[in-house]
Amino acid sequence: MTPRANFLLRAAVVLIMAMFVGAPTPGYVSGCSSGGTSVDPQEYCRGYNERTCARDRVAGRLDEPGYQACVGQIPVMCSGFNFGAGCNPTQSTVDACFSALVDPTRVGTDDAALPECQAVCGGSGGGFEPEGI
């Protein structure tokens, strides 16, 4: 298998895995009508970072050991995570950000530059306060 084919195969597998991570969880009953509901900060943190690790792997910014390390630090990084004061994103805003993160045509774009993710309390650089870290 050529290096390019190997890369494309790995990219496809990572994107498929990311889509499963973003699937509705047990107890998620509102579906498309959940636009006005609040988001659990720690679930958001885990989902955001899982997708960020996957897109960095697909884009070639992380090799396999780097990807594993990235995913491995998420539980510690998100423990005690909370949104900053005045930040209460809706599920539909978070879903739009998550979709943008796993869009294969946009993996080369910095996640903080994605408008869908900027709409979540100002993006990854603002509006968040990790508690106890």
Side-chain angles (χ1 to χ4, degrees):
M1 186 177 287
T2 67
R4 179 170 169 77
N6 190 20
F7 172 77
L8 291 175
L9 178 63
R10 285 178 179 240
V13 169
V14 169
L15 285 175
I16 290 169
M17 288 173 37
M19 285 185 238
F20 281 113
V21 170
T25 58
Y28 183 76
V29 291
S30 297
C32 294
S33 64
S34 65
T37 61
S38 295
V39 176
D40 178 81
Q42 291 185 9
E43 285 183 31
Y44 169 78
C45 181
R46 285 187 297 271
Y48 182 90
N49 286 294
E50 287 167 353
R51 287 164 181 83
T52 300
C53 292
R55 74 192 315 261
D56 286 346
R57 177 67 180 114
V58 170
R61 293 184 290 266
L62 289 175
D63 58 8
E64 187 60 28
Y67 170 74
Q68 294 300 326
C70 182
V71 171
Q73 69 184 355
I74 291 173
V76 172
M77 190 168 57
C78 293
S79 175
F81 174 86
N82 204 350
F83 295 113
C87 175
N88 190 23
T90 63
Q91 187 64 51
S92 61
T93 305
V94 168
D95 290 344
C97 173
F98 286 178
S99 292
L101 287 170
V102 297
D103 181 347
T105 64
R106 300 169 78 186
V107 295
T109 306
D110 181 33
D111 55 308
L114 295 169
E116 297 89 345
C117 293
Q118 290 176 350
V120 180
C121 304
S124 62
F128 308 130
E129 293 178 4
E131 294 179 351
I133 297 178

